[in-house]
């Protein structure tokens, strides 16, 4: 059958794909998702695209239902032709892909490092020859492959690459989202009839013709398969189908394949079933399994002759529906037989996971040996597939466990993994299995505890507190360690609860009093230390708790985080670090927390870790990195289908820090109205603190005062309230409400002295200066600047210079004021803190200095940082190499380069070489803290033979 016959009625779609390929060849990367129902022609259009790509390198993959439990299976298909080029990657990326694909041993790779490695690998191939990547049946991608391929698709820039997915319409969660789509409609009646006529050699009974057209309803695959069936046997269609208006079902399509199977010899049908049961498509393994079942070579030949299978580098079905039809049409006994044969020829030493998987499918009933193998596979899955893969294997192990008690334990473990991976519905279903028991008292409490955790991570957070307290009391006598951790969860839930009632607060304080008397182990865990510190905070107040909390924060920040600590407690410790104004450990802890959660693929808490890190990055002035993490948070929301209810706090604070009131204020109002529903009462404090920062930057001091008062209403709560006190002092002074400012300063001073960090004392000194006069005010301003200079919170340092400059101007010392205001303006502008930068600009104008406001006319100017990054990019360094040289992340480099490309009106690095201003060719930026970066050219070129660098050591003066 000709290609034109197969693609009848698809002229516009073919032209669209031809243009896509032409754009990719010319250097403009292309991404597309072909979407439509089963049999609508997606695969045929992909084949057209591949045949049209004569000058391109082509790689392809296809999702397969039986491979969905194997993490990165489809990604391996796509990348396997290029694995001999792994040595060309920077070594962190090389190691990540090597570990992911089982080519070497190692720790769990960072999902985003894997994505970066795949992006680099494909880009390297495309530099030599335009590259076409085709992914069919994307609805059946394993979750890990879908995440990585979605990551890659969103980051293809000016590279000669086309990445085209095809996915079936379904009610399931899409594996790739947010991509440009081409939706395939059914064929018109005329095209459907023409396709049928072209597919049948000879006249056709008009009644049968009408029935085929009615049954197919414009689905081209149905037309072709039903017509092909006509050539060998009579067609029988039930009368109910002739008038049905229901869209063609997958079941109907499969029936079109089954008559072809009936005409094959028994052994040929067994070969097909073997191929359908094998998720790898390994031809030698398939042949070994066939021989072990007594099949002859003729059976393989018969299948190939029938056109159902293709023998290439891998075994491939002519259409995925053939595989599904073959497997589902087989009896349960026949399926077990082929899985048993495949298990027998799979080496358990080389592929223990594949061996266990086939044994599980071959099992006729509960089998502890197989369940134990799956449990061990789950342990290994944490090193490559993460929580989701491990939880899936544990779920399978539970179903095969003969002992009811052991089955309940495994189901409970699987439920924990599912919950952490974001699959809450699956977690609740497994909890029901576990509750069928029998369960001992500890396990019963664990069930109650997991129900509480699911509530805490859902839109029913208000249910979590009583559940946690109940579980903790149950555990006190049977599992003291777990009881202490559960009480800590309860204290966490109280923070998240939407303004807990006075009764709940009283109950928690009573719990905290009781916990003060709990005997800790001789060597208390970090969570024990955290519990004791928070108990003191709730009972004796901040000054008494600060020393203990300092020790706890240092312990968490300096030691490796376990998975349990990362999922349950790390965010709370980060709040404590912010509460103590401990910027050093706040930085270390949020960085380590995010890395641990990423590596495990714990999507339930990844938004929390991202938000926590974004807030630190914003306060430290790294708005570029914060923007990259905000984009990542959006990606997580896409991946999870918006199931995780964590509000986009980082995104909102980014808008507020930039001074974008038109964007931030509506977002904040909407989220404030939703915090009660979400069960995230701590969000009320955060959102009002964000508004106070926004309004203080814009000079809207009355509004800043009102929102800061709300945020600081419960100063004992961790995190935002104490920072909001500082905003309240500033807003009170500038709005003329000095009594409110004085009261806030008194509270702030008490907390700052108890903390004792340079950041705390610097912030307090700066606000104290606002309420002082004469020499006392100047002394406090200078003290604040000196203390803040030793911290990493650069926004606060620049704001203090702004406040000092404002005071100097009002004292009539214009020259001194200009020095401080100019420094503040430059720093705030460079960081992108535009609201405060514009406030500094207005103050400078009031001193008589001319300040150029950033406009469209000055958009072509590059900052020193942008100029230096642009120069390194023009010289051929990758984003990773630039990032390592300048101690910033590759995402930050990419963010800067997007701004550079926009300012210079270029789209490729090749164009950048010609468009780079002369001033940028010698630019030398500064790192945080005032250190300047020496020119890197010689150091970079000397680092490797070809000018590329894996890890750079650069001198700093």
């Amino acid at each position: 059958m000709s290609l034109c016959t197969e693609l009848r009625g698809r002229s516009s779609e073919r032209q669209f794909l031809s243009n896509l390929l032409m754009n990719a060849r010319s250097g403009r990367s292309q991404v597309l998702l072909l979407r439509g129902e089963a049999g609508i022609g997606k695969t045929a259009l992909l084949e057209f695209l591949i045949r049209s790509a004569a000058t391109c390198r082509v790689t392809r993959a296809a999702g397969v239902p039986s491979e969905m439990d194997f993490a990165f299976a489809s990604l391996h298909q796509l990348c396997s032709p290029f694995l001999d080029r792994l040595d060309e990657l920077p070594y962190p990326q090389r190691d990540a892909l090597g570990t992911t694909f089982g080519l070497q041993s190692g720790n769990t790779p960072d999902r985003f490092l894997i994505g970066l490695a795949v992006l680099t690998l494909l880009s390297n191939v495309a530099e030599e020859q335009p590259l076409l990547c085709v992914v069919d049946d994307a609805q059946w991608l394993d979750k890990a492959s879908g995440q990585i391929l979605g990551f890659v698709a969103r980051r293809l820039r000016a590279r000669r690459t086309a990445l085209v997915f095809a996915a079936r319409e379904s009610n399931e969660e899409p594996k790739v989202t947010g991509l440009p789509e081409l939706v395939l409609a059914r064929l018109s009646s005329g095209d459907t009839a023409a396709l049928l006529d072209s597919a049948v050699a000879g006249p056709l009974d008009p009644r049968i013709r009408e029935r085929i057209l009615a049954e197919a309803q414009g689905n081209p695959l149905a037309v072709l398969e039903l017509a092909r069936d006509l050539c060998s046997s009579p067609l029988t269609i039930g009368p109910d189908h002739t008038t049905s208006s229901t869209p063609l079902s997958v079941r109907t399509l499969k029936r079109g394949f089954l008559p072809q199977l009936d005409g094959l010899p028994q052994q040929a049908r067994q070969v097909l079933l073997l191929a359908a049961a094998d998720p790898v498509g390994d031809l030698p393994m398939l042949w070994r399994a066939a021989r072990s079942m007594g099949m002859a070579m003729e059976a393989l030949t018969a299948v190939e002759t029938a056109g159902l299978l293709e023998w290439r580098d891998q075994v491939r079905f002519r259409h995925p529906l053939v595989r599904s039809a073959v497997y589902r049409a087989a009896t349960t006994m026949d399926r077990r037989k082929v899985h048993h044969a495949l298990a027998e020829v799979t080496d358990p030493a080389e592929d223990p996971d594949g061996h266990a998987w086939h044994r599980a499918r071959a099992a006729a009933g509960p089998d502890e040996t197989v369940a134990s193998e799956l449990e061990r596979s789950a342990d290994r899955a944490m090193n490559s597939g993460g929580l989701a893969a491990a939880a899936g294997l544990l779920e399978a192990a539970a179903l095969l466990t003969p002992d009811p008690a052991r089955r309940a334990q495994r189901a409970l473990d699987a439920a924990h993994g599912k919950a952490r991976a974001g699959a809450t519905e699956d977690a609740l279903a497994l909890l029901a299995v576990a509750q069928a028991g029998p369960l001992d008292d500890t396990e019963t409490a664990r069930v109650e505890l997991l129900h509480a955790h699911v509530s805490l991570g859902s839109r029913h957070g208000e249910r979590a507190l009583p559940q946690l307290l109940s579980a903790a009391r149950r555990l006190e006598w049977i599992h003291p360690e777990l009881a202490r951790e559960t009480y800590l969860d309860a204290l966490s839930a109280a923070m998240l609860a939407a303004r807990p009632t006075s009764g709940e607060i009283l109950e928690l304080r009573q719990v905290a009093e009781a916990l003060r008397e709990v005997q800790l182990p001789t060597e208390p865990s970090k969570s024990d230390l955290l519990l004791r510190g928070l108990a003191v905070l709730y009972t004796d107040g901040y000054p008494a708790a600060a020393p203990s909390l300092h020790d706890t924060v240092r312990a968490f920040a300096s030691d490796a985080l376990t998975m349990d600590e990362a999922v349950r407690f790390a965010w709370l410790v980060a709040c404590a670090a912010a509460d103590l104004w401990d910027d050093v450990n706040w930085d270390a802890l949020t960085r380590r927390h995010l890395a641990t959660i990423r590596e495990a693929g714990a999507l339930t808490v990844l938004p929390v870790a991202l938000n926590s890190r974004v807030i630190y990055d914003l306060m430290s002035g790294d708005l570029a990195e914060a923007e990259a993490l905000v984009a990542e948070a959006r990606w997580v929301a896409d991946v999870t289908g918006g199931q995780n209810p964590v509000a986009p706090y980082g995104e909102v604070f980014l808008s507020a820090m930039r001074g974008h009131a038109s964007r931030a204020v509506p977002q904040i109002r909407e989220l404030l109205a939703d915090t009660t529903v979400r069960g995230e009462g701590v969000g009320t404090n955060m959102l009002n603190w964000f508004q106070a920062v926004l309004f203080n930057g814009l000079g809207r001091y009355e509004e800043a005062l009102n929102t800061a008062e709300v945020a600081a209403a419960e100063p004992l709560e961790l995190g935002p309230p104490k920072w909001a006190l500082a905003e309240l002092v500033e807003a009170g002074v500038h709005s003329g409400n000095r009594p409110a400012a004085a009261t806030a300063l008194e509270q702030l001073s008490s907390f700052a002295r108890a903390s004792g960090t340079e950041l705390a004392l610097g912030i307090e000194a700066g606000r104290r200066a606002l309420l002082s006069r004469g020499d006392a005010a100047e002394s406090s301003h200078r003290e604040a600047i000196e203390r803040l200079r030793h911290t990493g919170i650069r926004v606060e340092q620049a704001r203090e210079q702004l406040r000092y400059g404002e005071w100097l101007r009002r004292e009539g010392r214009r020259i001194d004021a200009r020095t401080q205001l100019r420094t503040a303006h430059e720093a705030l502008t460079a960081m992108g803190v535009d609201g405060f930068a514009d406030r500094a600009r207005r103050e400078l104008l009031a001193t008589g200095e001319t300040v150029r406001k950033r406009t469209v006319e000055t958009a072509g100017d590059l900052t020193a940082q942008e100029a230096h990054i642009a120069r390194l990019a023009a010289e051929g360094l990758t984003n990773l190499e630039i990032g390592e040289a300048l101690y910033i992340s590759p995402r930050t480099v990419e963010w800067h380069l997007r701004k550079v490309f926009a300012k210079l009106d270029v789209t490729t690095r090749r164009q950048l070489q010609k468009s780079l201003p002369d001033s940028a060719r010698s630019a030398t930026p500064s790192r945080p803290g005032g250190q300047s970066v020496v020119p890197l050219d010689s150091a970079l070129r000397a680092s490797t033979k070809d000018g590329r660098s894996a890890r750079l050591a650069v001198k700093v003066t």
Side-chain angles (χ1 to χ4, degrees):
M1 192 175 296
S2 71
L3 184 62
C4 290
T5 297
E6 292 175 310
L7 292 178
R8 187 176 295 275
R10 298 296 187 202
S11 58
S12 61
E13 288 86 349
R14 281 184 287 157
Q15 184 60 50
F16 186 92
L17 293 176
S18 297
N19 292 339
L20 177 144
L21 204 55
M22 180 176 64
N23 289 335
R25 288 192 183 106
S26 66
R28 288 173 291 177
S29 67
Q30 302 288 296
V31 177
L32 180 69
L33 172 62
L34 282 173
R35 189 163 57 81
E37 67 182 25
I40 202 67
K42 302 181 295 295
T43 300
L45 282 169
L46 291 182
E47 293 296 337
F48 165 80
L49 184 64
I50 291 171
R51 296 182 196 185
S52 303
T55 61
C56 299
R57 183 79 182 268
V58 178
T59 183
R60 60 193 300 175
V64 179
S66 58
E67 295 187 30
M68 292 176 70
D69 290 336
F70 285 84
F72 302 111
S74 299
L75 185 68
H76 185 266
Q77 288 184 49
L78 194 74
C79 296
S80 59
F82 314 128
L83 294 184
D84 59 342
R85 307 180 62 139
L86 288 186
D87 287 340
E88 299 175 11
L89 303 182
Y91 83 86
Q93 299 178 24
R94 180 190 65 216
D95 290 348
L97 276 192
T99 303
T100 298
F101 295 148
L103 303 178
Q104 65 186 56
S105 60
N107 296 326
T108 304
D110 181 349
R111 286 287 175 92
F112 297 91
L113 185 58
I114 296 171
L116 183 62
V118 173
L119 187 62
T120 305
L121 181 65
L122 298 182
S123 299
N124 289 349
V125 174
E127 286 179 0
E128 300 175 358
Q129 185 179 1
L131 176 63
L132 171 63
C133 304
V134 171
V135 182
D136 202 359
D137 284 298
Q139 75 278 357
W140 288 328
L141 290 173
D142 60 278
K143 192 170 185 178
S145 293
Q147 291 175 358
I148 297 302
L149 290 174
F151 176 93
V152 171
R154 293 182 185 86
R155 284 156 179 80
L156 286 175
R157 293 290 185 266
R159 302 179 175 95
R160 300 187 299 170
T161 306
L163 177 53
V164 181
F165 299 86
R168 178 184 301 179
E169 298 278 17
S170 71
N171 294 325
E172 298 178 1
E173 177 184 336
K175 295 301 190 299
V176 288
T177 57
L179 307 182
E181 292 185 356
L182 178 60
V183 180
L184 301 183
R186 296 184 180 188
L187 300 180
S188 67
S189 57
D191 284 330
T192 304
L195 178 60
L196 175 58
D197 292 339
S198 67
V200 178
L204 184 63
D205 186 321
R207 293 171 300 173
I208 296 177
R209 185 174 188 274
E210 288 175 6
R211 287 186 174 182
I212 291 175
L213 294 176
E215 179 73 9
Q217 297 185 35
N219 187 292
L221 180 61
V223 173
L224 297 176
E225 292 303 326
L226 294 173
R228 186 177 290 113
D229 184 67
L230 260 180
C231 298
S232 57
S233 61
L235 182 63
T236 303
I237 302 178
D240 57 317
H241 294 288
T242 58
T243 58
S244 171
S245 61
T246 303
L248 186 69
S249 68
V250 175
R251 182 179 301 172
T252 304
L253 285 174
K254 288 174 182 174
R255 284 205 299 267
F257 291 117
L258 295 182
Q260 300 176 58
L261 307 182
D262 292 338
L264 293 174
Q266 175 63 25
Q267 286 196 355
R269 292 200 297 272
Q270 286 181 313
V271 168
L272 280 172
L273 184 55
L274 266 176
D278 173 28
V280 179
D282 186 330
L283 183 57
M285 187 174 74
L286 178 65
W287 175 234
R288 291 197 303 273
R291 284 190 301 181
S292 74
M293 296 181 70
M295 302 178 194
M297 178 63 75
E298 290 75 12
L300 276 72
T301 304
V303 172
E304 186 175 22
T305 302
L308 296 172
L309 280 180
E310 296 177 345
W311 312 118
R312 297 185 183 178
D313 54 328
Q314 292 179 315
V315 180
R316 289 182 182 169
F317 282 88
R318 180 171 53 82
H319 191 280
L321 283 175
V322 179
R323 177 194 292 268
S324 183
V326 167
Y327 193 81
R328 293 179 181 273
T331 66
T332 302
M333 183 61 70
D334 285 341
R335 291 181 203 165
R336 289 174 183 154
K337 286 179 180 178
V338 296
H339 280 295
H340 177 76
L342 289 166
E344 289 295 310
V345 298
T346 302
D347 189 339
E350 292 186 3
D351 186 8
D353 299 331
H355 182 263
W357 186 80
H358 282 301
R359 288 198 65 190
R361 293 296 181 99
D367 188 321
E368 178 57 32
T369 303
V370 178
S372 297
E373 283 191 46
L374 288 171
E375 195 170 36
R376 289 191 290 271
S377 290
D379 292 337
R380 288 188 292 270
M382 285 298 297
N383 293 326
S384 57
L387 280 169
L393 291 165
L394 283 172
E395 180 180 15
L399 296 176
L400 287 173
T401 303
D403 177 60
R406 189 75 184 100
R407 179 170 59 250
Q409 292 169 1
R410 284 174 172 151
L412 187 51
D413 290 340
H416 274 280
K418 290 282 189 180
R420 289 175 176 177
T424 54
E425 293 299 324
D426 291 345
L428 292 173
L430 283 163
L431 277 178
V433 174
Q435 285 176 291
L439 297 173
D440 60 25
D441 289 343
T442 300
E443 290 158 352
T444 301
R446 286 185 64 203
V447 169
E448 189 172 7
L449 182 58
L450 185 53
H451 272 297
H453 285 159
V454 171
S455 295
L456 200 58
S458 70
R459 290 182 176 268
H460 304 289
E462 71 281 357
R463 302 176 186 170
L465 182 56
Q467 289 174 326
L468 288 165
L469 289 173
S470 174
R473 293 188 183 104
R474 184 192 297 270
L475 288 164
E476 276 186 8
W477 300 105
I478 56 178
H479 200 311
E481 180 182 358
L482 188 55
R484 294 193 300 272
E485 292 180 354
T486 306
Y487 276 123
L488 185 54
D489 288 331
L491 293 174
S492 302
M495 281 186 59
L496 292 173
R499 295 297 183 184
T501 66
S502 58
E504 288 172 333
I505 289 292
L506 177 61
E507 184 176 17
L508 275 172
R509 287 178 176 164
Q510 292 171 344
V511 171
E513 288 282 3
L515 291 176
R516 293 287 304 273
E517 306 304 321
V518 171
Q519 184 67 39
L520 297 183
T522 305
E523 295 184 2
S525 67
K526 294 195 291 289
S527 62
D528 289 330
L529 296 175
L530 177 60
L531 179 63
R532 175 58 59 84
L534 291 178
V536 173
L537 178 66
Y538 272 100
T539 54
D540 293 353
Y542 187 90
S548 175
L549 288 175
H550 269 303
D551 292 340
T552 302
V553 166
R554 279 192 292 268
F556 271 91
S558 59
D559 297 342
L561 291 174
T562 67
M563 176 53 57
D564 207 46
E565 290 169 346
V567 170
R568 296 172 67 184
F569 309 132
W571 76 271
L572 186 56
V573 186
C575 286
D579 204 57
L580 294 164
W581 293 285
D582 182 352
D583 58 301
V584 174
N585 288 309
W586 185 14
D587 177 16
L589 183 61
T590 52
R591 191 185 301 276
R592 183 172 286 120
H593 181 206
L594 180 56
T596 304
I597 295 300
R598 276 175 175 169
E599 289 170 3
L603 295 183
T604 302
V605 291
L606 182 53
V608 176
L610 286 167
N611 279 330
S612 183
R613 183 63 197 178
V614 166
I615 291 172
Y616 175 82
D617 283 335
L618 290 172
M619 297 302 292
S620 68
D622 194 348
L623 273 67
E625 178 66 7
E627 184 170 322
L629 294 181
V630 165
E632 185 179 321
R634 294 194 199 104
W635 174 78
V636 174
D638 289 343
V639 168
T640 59
Q643 293 178 3
N644 196 301
V646 176
Y649 295 119
E651 181 175 354
V652 173
F653 197 22
L654 176 63
S655 297
M657 192 66 81
R658 290 196 184 283
H660 296 169
S662 60
R663 182 183 306 168
V665 172
Q667 283 181 307
I668 291 172
R669 287 175 179 168
E670 180 180 353
L671 291 174
L672 279 172
D674 199 35
T675 50
T676 301
V677 177
R678 289 180 179 275
E680 293 180 29
V682 69
T684 302
N685 294 336
M686 294 179 67
L687 292 168
N688 280 287
W689 171 43
F690 298 164
Q691 287 192 103
V693 173
L694 169 69
F695 293 139
N696 269 333
L698 298 176
R700 293 160 58 174
Y701 299 116
E702 286 285 354
E703 293 168 279
L705 177 66
N706 294 334
T707 53
E709 284 180 329
V710 176
E714 294 288 344
L716 200 61
E717 294 179 9
L718 291 181
K722 297 174 186 63
W723 290 81
L725 284 172
E727 301 301 326
L728 203 163
V729 174
E730 185 168 343
V733 169
H734 286 295
S735 65
N737 193 336
R738 294 180 72 86
T743 300
L745 177 63
E746 184 178 357
Q747 291 179 300
L748 179 65
S749 298
S750 172
F751 293 136
R753 288 192 298 271
S755 168
T757 65
E758 286 291 282
L759 179 59
L761 297 174
I763 289 174
E764 189 274 339
R767 275 25 179 226
R768 179 170 15 99
L770 294 175
L771 285 162
S772 302
R773 300 182 185 279
D775 292 343
E778 181 158 24
S779 176
S780 294
H781 278 304
R782 288 182 175 275
E783 177 190 348
I785 290 173
E786 178 60 24
R787 288 187 183 278
L788 293 171
R789 189 173 64 83
H790 297 289
T791 75
I793 307 302
R794 293 189 296 147
V795 170
E796 187 59 37
Q797 180 183 350
R799 286 182 60 185
E800 177 53 36
Q801 290 176 303
L802 167 59
R803 288 188 290 268
Y804 185 28
E806 289 173 331
W807 180 83
L808 288 169
R809 185 182 73 80
R810 283 162 179 75
E811 291 290 306
R813 296 163 57 182
R814 291 192 172 191
I815 295 177
D816 292 338
R818 287 173 186 168
T819 301
Q820 297 298 328
L821 293 171
R822 192 183 304 116
T823 302
H825 179 258
E826 290 174 355
L828 292 165
T829 300
M831 288 185 284
V833 186
D834 296 338
F836 286 100
D838 197 52
R839 178 172 144 187
R841 183 187 65 84
R842 293 193 302 270
E843 287 289 327
L844 271 171
L845 291 174
T847 67
E849 180 162 316
T850 301
V851 186
R852 183 175 59 173
K853 186 175 182 179
R854 294 200 304 175
T855 64
V856 175
E857 287 73 30
T858 64
D861 295 347
L862 301 183
T863 67
Q865 180 85 330
E866 289 169 350
H868 199 66
I869 289 173
R871 179 166 61 86
L872 297 178
E875 292 173 359
L877 273 71
T878 67
N879 288 0
L880 179 63
E881 292 164 350
I882 297 170
E884 289 176 333
L886 301 180
Y887 302 139
I888 57 178
S889 74
R891 285 189 296 273
T892 300
V893 174
E894 183 177 351
W895 184 83
H896 279 299
L897 283 176
R898 286 202 304 269
K899 293 178 66 178
V900 169
F901 281 18
K903 288 181 178 182
L904 300 183
D905 194 24
V906 299
T907 57
T908 67
R909 297 191 182 210
R910 190 172 301 170
Q911 294 172 333
L912 187 61
Q913 291 177 326
K914 301 176 182 178
S915 303
L916 200 61
D918 292 338
S919 59
R921 299 182 187 277
S922 58
T924 303
S926 296
R927 291 201 184 99
Q931 297 171 317
S932 60
V933 184
V934 301
L936 302 175
D937 308 65
S938 59
L940 295 174
R941 295 303 169 198
S943 60
T944 57
K945 293 181 180 179
D946 63 354
R948 293 182 178 271
S949 171
R951 185 69 63 180
L952 306 176
V954 182
K955 289 185 178 180
V956 179
T957 58

